[in-house]
Amino acid sequence: MTKEERARADAEAAARAKDEAAMKDVALRYVKADLAGDAETRCGLRTETKLTRSECLETYRDSRSKPEEGVTVTVEGGPVDVGPIRNHSAGTGLMLTQKTVVDGHAYYRREAIRMVKVEGKWLVDQVALADDEAMASAVPVRSALMRPAA
């Protein structure tokens, strides 16, 4: 490999890493906003697949009880390509884990999140609970996001 080819490969790898970091940042901010009851941030980080921004704000505000506190959110594993299903376009799936500690006991909730790039920005397009069935599959993120609607 020539010096120029190596430099090009390094630049491409750096760009992919930066893009992946941006995607993970949006997913984390989305879940944290959801937990905090921050409708403005949450709806601003979603695609308009099902609801427009104003519909999202109205629906979310009406359904949210109170902010959840003491929850740690992390991205688990790496990104996974996911195909289109129903009204969701192909995208990239991430597994996010929420950990809550109550009276010394840890409780976990895992959600698979479909991320899509819209006009150069990562947005959340779908959130699905990663239940025991999904977690038992070879690729839990894909299993949760590609599950047929009930």
Side-chain angles (χ1 to χ4, degrees):
M1 182 179 281
T2 68
K3 191 174 187 177
E4 291 79 21
E5 290 171 330
R6 163 95 50 223
R8 185 172 39 248
D10 289 347
E12 289 172 2
R16 279 192 306 275
K18 184 177 179 183
D19 191 48
E20 183 177 317
M23 174 180 45
K24 289 177 178 180
D25 177 65
V26 169
L28 285 168
R29 285 189 298 133
Y30 174 86
V31 171
K32 288 176 182 179
D34 187 44
L35 292 169
D38 181 353
E40 288 289 332
T41 299
R42 179 187 177 276
C43 291
L45 296 173
R46 272 197 81 93
T47 62
E48 292 190 3
T49 302
K50 290 183 180 181
L51 304 171
T52 65
R53 182 178 167 89
S54 61
E55 291 168 333
C56 176
L57 288 167
E58 184 177 320
T59 301
Y60 184 75
R61 285 185 181 132
D62 291 345
S63 69
R64 194 70 182 151
S65 54
K66 63 177 184 153
E68 295 182 42
E69 296 177 6
V71 181
T72 304
V73 183
T74 56
V75 176
E76 189 176 304
V80 175
D81 290 335
V82 288
I85 187 170
R86 296 180 302 280
N87 61 338
H88 301 290
S89 59
T92 304
L94 294 173
M95 182 69 71
L96 271 72
T97 301
Q98 299 172 28
K99 177 183 175 185
T100 307
V101 178
V102 178
D103 296 329
H105 293 74
Y107 299 92
Y108 296 90
R109 174 183 171 89
R110 288 183 175 86
E111 291 179 321
I113 299 186
R114 179 185 301 261
M115 303 295 297
V116 295
K117 221 172 200 184
V118 178
E119 297 177 5
K121 292 171 58 175
W122 285 106
L123 296 174
V124 173
D125 190 60
Q126 177 189 10
V127 178
L129 179 64
D131 60 11
D132 291 341
E133 183 181 337
M135 292 307 293
S137 74
V139 185
V141 172
R142 189 174 293 132
S143 178
L145 293 172
M146 299 302 289
R147 193 174 343 187

